[in-house]
Amino acid sequence: MEQSEVVKRVVGILTEAGEMRRLLEENPDRDDADTDSTVVTALLNETMPRIAIPEDATVEDVVVVVGREVGGAVEQLVGAFTLAFAMLAQVHDAGQTDVTSADVLQDLALRAEQFGTEGPGDAEI
């Protein structure tokens, strides 16, 4: 999955979480709150590679294969969440009260295309 798509999906997850928080603040007793993690599960299923482990593989072989295959996907996810956090923290720390977290996430989603070939840690905030 392209890094730009991972960033957009992370923005979607964070936006959804913010909306759920807002709804629960409005009505803490609501029983229709969607605490379902299907969006996160779907992202993990799409991001994580399929790994073929040979039948005769040792534990050490499995560790090497899993580390090699899963490492890049984990880096993509952590990079996208880290970028979102850093952008939100930057606005918060600057005391910009006229900019909401939703505004920051929307800006990140619009700028996500620049992450197609570079990692999110390489982008300018």
Side-chain angles (χ1 to χ4, degrees):
M1 181 180 287
E2 289 284 327
Q3 187 64 32
S4 60
E5 182 62 25
V6 174
V7 169
K8 289 176 189 175
R9 299 286 295 276
V10 164
V11 167
I13 290 168
L14 295 174
T15 300
E16 187 176 309
E19 179 63 15
M20 184 52 56
R21 179 195 50 81
R22 186 188 66 72
L23 291 172
L24 288 172
E25 283 177 355
E26 288 176 0
N27 182 3
D29 298 325
R30 66 184 299 132
D31 57 359
D32 65 335
D34 182 16
T35 56
D36 181 37
S37 63
T38 57
V39 175
V40 174
T41 302
L43 177 60
L44 288 173
N45 287 336
E46 291 173 16
T47 307
M48 293 297 152
R50 304 290 182 248
I51 302 172
I53 306 291
E55 288 182 31
D56 62 342
T58 66
V59 172
E60 292 80 15
D61 294 337
V62 172
V63 169
V64 169
V65 169
V66 170
R68 182 182 64 232
E69 297 296 323
V70 174
V74 170
E75 281 184 33
Q76 275 190 311
L77 290 169
V78 170
F81 276 104
T82 301
L83 177 62
F85 173 82
M87 290 183 72
L88 290 163
Q90 183 180 38
V91 170
H92 174 271
D93 292 350
Q96 294 178 303
T97 58
D98 61 327
V99 179
T100 67
S101 59
D103 295 335
V104 174
L105 292 172
Q106 182 179 27
D107 179 59
L108 177 55
L110 293 172
R111 295 174 41 196
E113 288 307 314
Q114 70 185 344
F115 308 128
T117 56
E118 59 188 35
D122 300 330
E124 187 177 310
I125 298 177

